Amino acid sequence: MAIAVRNLTKFYGSEKAVDEVSFDVKTGEILGFLGPNGAGKTTTMKMITCYMPPTSGSIDVEGFDVSEHSFEVRKKIGYLPELNPLYLDMNVIEYLEYSALLHGIRNGLLQGRLREMIDVCGLGDARHKDIGELSKGFRQRVGLAQAMIHDPEVLILDEPTNGLDPNQIVEIRNLIRQLGRAKTVVLSTHILSEVQATCDRVVIIHHGKIAADGTLDQLQEKFHGSETICLEIKASVANPMIDIYPKLHAISSVESVAYTGQNGDLHRFSVQTQKGIDIREEIFRQAIHEKWVLLEMTRTTTSLEEVFHSLTTPEAP
Amino acid sequence: MKIYFPLRFPISFHIVGIIFRKELRSYFNSIIAYVVMIVFYALMGWFYAGNIFLNNTATLRDMFEYAGIIFLFIIPATTMRLLAEESKTGTIELLATKPLHDAEIVLGKFFASWAFIALTILPTLVYYLTIANVGGLDNGPVIGGYLGLLLMTGVYIAVGLLASSLTENQIIAFMLGLFFCVVLFFIDKMLFAVPDFAVSVLQFLSVDYHFSNIARGVIDSRDIVYFVSILGFSLYLSVVSLQRRTW
C-alpha cells in the first residue's frame, strides 16, 4: 500500500473540512480524487503532503506516518499544489535546480536529473526563459517537473489541469499518464472527464466525507442498476395517466414509469428498467396493440456524470 | 491541538545556504536592490557627505548616525516581500512540503537580506578612506561603528522579516516592519514623560542606545547580548508565525 488514510479529520476553527475519511492508494495506481469545489480535496492533500497536520486520524505514506516521520514522507512525495505556485522571476533551469537542491540532490546527480526532467516534460526550448513569461501550459509542465525532480515514489497533484485550454489539458493528461506508469499518483479534480481519461480508480468526496470509492465500472454498476428508455407516443386518449401509464408499467421488468411531458396528442414518458434487460421490443408490440404511434424511443445507460451528480447533491442516495 | 516546536531538530546549514543564494540572487534580479541602494547613497550624500568637511573633525560618528536612521526607513522595504510574497503566491507551500525545516527558510532569507545590506554599506568605506587620508582617524570607533551598524541593521531585518511573516500583503508588511523599527529606535527618545525607574529599562530596549555605545568604540558584551537576543527572538517568532498553518 503506497498511502493509507485512516479516519482523517480536519477542523478549521469549528468548521469540519474533512470528516473521518479513510481510503487506500495502491502502489503504481493513478487515483482520481473527485469532488465539487470545497469538498475537502485540497485539505486532504495538504495533510498527505505534511503541509498541515490532521486534527485526528492518521496518514501513512510508504510506511511512514506523516506526524511521526514527516521528513521521510516529504522525501517520498512530489507535490503540485493547487494553482501551481511558482517563482515567476526565476528561469526554468534555475528553479528546477533550486527544487532539486532543496530535496538534497547532490551535485553529481543534479545535471542528470535536470536534463531528464526537461526531456520528459518537454521544456527544452523554455529552459532559459523566466517562468513569468511562460504560457499556462508550460508553467504546468514546470510544476510537474518540479514535483518529479527528486524521482519520488508518490505524486500528489492538486487540480493539475485547472485553467488550461483543451489542447493543453490533453498534453498534461498524457504527461501524467506517462509519468504515472512508474509512480503512485493521486490527482484531484472537479471535472469528471479528467478521471475517465487518466485514472484507474476514483474516490468521490463530498462535504468532507467519502461518497464513493472504486473503479469507474464498479461505481457505474453500484449506483445505477437500471437503464432508462425515453418514449414519445402519439395517441388521442382522454387521460394518459389512465390510458397509457399503467400499460407501460405492466410490461415485465419495468421498475418505474414517469410522465415527463405533453404537447397536444404527444406524450412523453421515461421508463426505468432493470439493467441488462432490453424491453424495447415489448414496448413496440404494446404500442401496436394499443394503436399508439411511437415517434421516439431511446435507451440510455446512466453516465458517470450522473453518478457523480447524484452523489454530490443533497439528495444523494 | 498539537504544538510544533520550531526548533525541533538540527538545522542544516547546507539548506540555509541554498535558500540564501536563491534569495540574494533574487534581490539583484529585481529592481528593489538598485532602488534601495540608490536611495541610500543619495540620502547619505545629501545629509552627510555634503557636510563632510564642514565638521572639521576627523570622525565618522555622523556617518554612522545618518546611516542608522536611513536604514530604519529603507530596510522594511527590502524585507517586506521575503515571506509575505511566498504566502501570497502559495510558493510557501512548495517550501514547506520539501524535506526542510521552517527555521532554515527563515535563516536563509535573513542572511540573504543581511548580506545585501552589508553590500550596500560596503561602499561607505570611501568616506573612511577620504577622512583617514585627510586627518588622523581613530580606528576604534570606526570598527565599533561598522559592527554596531551591522548589528542594528540585523535587528531591523529580523523585525522586518517577522512583519513579513505575519501577513501576505506586502504593504502591510512594510508598514508593520517600519512600525517595529521606529518603536525600537525611538523608545528612549521621549523620556521626559516617563518616571525615573522606567528610564533605564526603556534605554536598555532601544537599539539606538546600544548602537551609540558600540559606535563609541567600546564593545561591551551587554550591547552584543542585546542585539543578538532581539535578533534571535524576532527570527524565532518568524518561525513560529510561519508554523501558524499547523495550529
Side-chain angles (χ1 to χ4, degrees), chain B residues 68-77 156 174 178 181-182 186:
Chain B
I69 293 173
I70 294 167
F71 277 129
L72 167 70
F73 292 99
I74 62 176
I75 281 180
Y156 291 161
F174 172 75
L178 186 60
C181 290
V182 165
F186 286 99

Side-chain angles (χ1 to χ4, degrees), chain B residues 67-144:
Chain B
I69 293 173
I70 294 167
F71 277 129
L72 167 70
F73 292 99
I74 62 176
I75 281 180
T78 69
T79 55
M80 63 183 185
R81 50 164 277 285
L82 287 177
L83 287 163
E85 193 182 35
E86 302 249 17
S87 321
K88 177 89 174 180
T89 61
T91 47
I92 191 67
E93 204 168 326
L94 289 168
L95 286 179
T97 53
K98 290 203 161 56
L100 48 93
H101 193 280
D102 290 353
E104 289 158 355
I105 302 173
V106 166
L107 284 178
K109 283 168 183 279
F110 169 75
F111 285 122
S113 265
W114 212 6
F116 165 64
I117 293 299
L119 286 174
T120 308
I121 294 173
L122 200 62
T124 62
L125 286 174
V126 168
Y127 300 137
Y128 167 74
L129 294 174
T130 311
I131 293 182
N133 260 333
V134 176
L137 187 55
D138 184 0
N139 280 330
V142 173
I143 293 167

Side-chain angles (χ1 to χ4, degrees), chain A residues 13-66:
Chain A
S14 62
E15 195 194 334
K16 213 180 218 181
V18 174
D19 187 2
E20 294 283 322
V21 162
S22 302
F23 63 93
D24 289 323
V25 189
K26 294 185 202 73
T27 306
E29 179 175 58
I30 303 187
L31 178 83
F33 208 40
L34 183 65
N37 292 326
K41 304 187 295 284
T42 296
T43 306
T44 304
M45 290 185 141
K46 283 181 175 173
M47 291 188 281
I48 296 175
T49 55
C50 307
Y51 182 65
M52 46 167 75
T55 307
S56 67
S58 72
I59 304 169
D60 187 282
V61 178
E62 298 281 341
F64 293 102
D65 184 82
V66 292

Side-chain angles (χ1 to χ4, degrees), chain A residues 127-240:
Chain A
R127 79 182 113 189
H128 293 298
K129 282 193 183 156
D130 279 358
I131 295 171
E133 293 170 20
L134 298 179
S135 69
K136 271 200 158 182
F138 268 91
R139 286 188 197 185
Q140 216 69 16
R141 289 159 182 245
V142 175
L144 282 170
Q146 165 275 133
M148 301 274 303
I149 192 81
H150 56 299
D151 201 14
E153 276 104 326
V154 177
L155 272 180
I156 307 280
L157 311 173
D158 198 352
E159 307 227 353
T161 60
N162 197 4
L164 300 183
D165 72 31
N167 291 331
Q168 294 167 333
I169 288 179
V170 172
E171 284 172 23
I172 294 296
R173 276 183 194 159
N174 288 339
L175 191 52
I176 291 170
R177 253 204 311 266
Q178 190 194 334
L179 302 175
R181 275 188 225 125
K183 312 262 173 219
T184 305
V185 182
V186 180
L187 72 88
S188 80
T189 176
H190 60 274
I191 307 158
L192 191 79
S193 57
E194 186 120 322
V195 173
Q196 283 167 316
T198 29
C199 302
D200 305 322
R201 200 159 65 86
V202 56
V203 167
I204 299 181
I205 185 167
H206 183 50
H207 287 318
K209 287 192 168 92
I210 302 253
D213 180 353
T215 64
L216 298 179
D217 293 342
Q218 281 171 351
L219 289 192
Q220 228 147 9
E221 206 157 309
K222 185 171 168 196
F223 288 94
H224 281 267
S226 65
E227 292 175 18
T228 306
I229 297 172
C230 293
L231 298 173
E232 190 169 275
I233 294 169
K234 187 176 175 187
S236 330
V237 290
N239 185 347

Side-chain angles (χ1 to χ4, degrees), chain B residues 48-63:
Chain B
Y48 173 69
N51 307 326
I52 201 164
F53 296 110
L54 294 179
N55 291 336
N56 212 16
T57 46
T59 166
L60 284 177
R61 195 76 192 266
D62 290 349
M63 194 272 279

Side-chain angles (χ1 to χ4, degrees), chain B:
Chain B
M1 188 180 83
K2 273 180 192 165
I3 294 174
Y4 282 69
F5 289 102
L7 299 172
R8 207 165 23 151
F9 30 75
I11 285 166
S12 149
F13 280 93
H14 174 69
I15 297 282
V16 172
I18 293 163
I19 295 171
F20 169 84
R21 279 194 294 279
K22 183 252 169 193
E23 292 296 328
L24 192 58
R25 193 181 328 169
S26 87
Y27 264 123
F28 288 99
N29 275 345
S30 78
I31 195 158
I32 286 187
Y34 305 101
V35 170
V36 162
M37 284 178 151
I38 289 167
V39 167
F40 177 71
Y41 301 131
L43 292 178
M44 284 300 283
W46 186 27
F47 290 135
Y48 173 69
N51 307 326
I52 201 164
F53 296 110
L54 294 179
N55 291 336
N56 212 16
T57 46
T59 166
L60 284 177
R61 195 76 192 266
D62 290 349
M63 194 272 279
F64 292 121
E65 290 282 305
Y66 288 126
I69 293 173
I70 294 167
F71 277 129
L72 167 70
F73 292 99
I74 62 176
I75 281 180
T78 69
T79 55
M80 63 183 185
R81 50 164 277 285
L82 287 177
L83 287 163
E85 193 182 35
E86 302 249 17
S87 321
K88 177 89 174 180
T89 61
T91 47
I92 191 67
E93 204 168 326
L94 289 168
L95 286 179
T97 53
K98 290 203 161 56
L100 48 93
H101 193 280
D102 290 353
E104 289 158 355
I105 302 173
V106 166
L107 284 178
K109 283 168 183 279
F110 169 75
F111 285 122
S113 265
W114 212 6
F116 165 64
I117 293 299
L119 286 174
T120 308
I121 294 173
L122 200 62
T124 62
L125 286 174
V126 168
Y127 300 137
Y128 167 74
L129 294 174
T130 311
I131 293 182
N133 260 333
V134 176
L137 187 55
D138 184 0
N139 280 330
V142 173
I143 293 167
Y146 275 110
L147 180 67
L149 196 57
L150 276 178
L151 287 170
M152 185 157 74
T153 53
V155 166
Y156 291 161
I157 291 164
V159 295
L161 190 59
L162 173 61
S164 184
S165 76
L166 293 172
T167 168
E168 56 180 48
N169 182 325
Q170 292 191 33
I171 306 294
I172 295 175
F174 172 75
M175 299 310 277
L176 208 53
L178 186 60
F179 172 75
F180 291 156
C181 290
V182 165
V183 166
L184 283 173
F185 188 85
F186 286 99
I187 196 164
D188 69 338
K189 295 292 180 290
M190 282 158 284
L191 294 180
F192 51 85
V194 177
D196 285 347
F197 69 90
V199 167
S200 58
V201 175
L202 292 179
Q203 248 178 5
F204 189 79
L205 287 174
S206 154
V207 273
D208 192 39
Y209 169 76
H210 295 279
F211 173 61
S212 311
N213 284 352
I214 295 183
R216 245 182 261 131
V218 187
I219 294 164
D220 186 332
S221 60
R222 268 174 303 179
D223 301 321
I224 307 284
V225 165
Y226 165 84
F227 281 117
V228 171
S229 7
I230 298 272
L231 202 155
F233 187 59
S234 302
L235 293 182
Y236 177 82
L237 288 183
S238 305
V239 178
V240 172
S241 155
L242 255 191
Q243 299 203 327
R244 267 175 304 169
R245 65 173 192 276
T246 64
W247 294 352

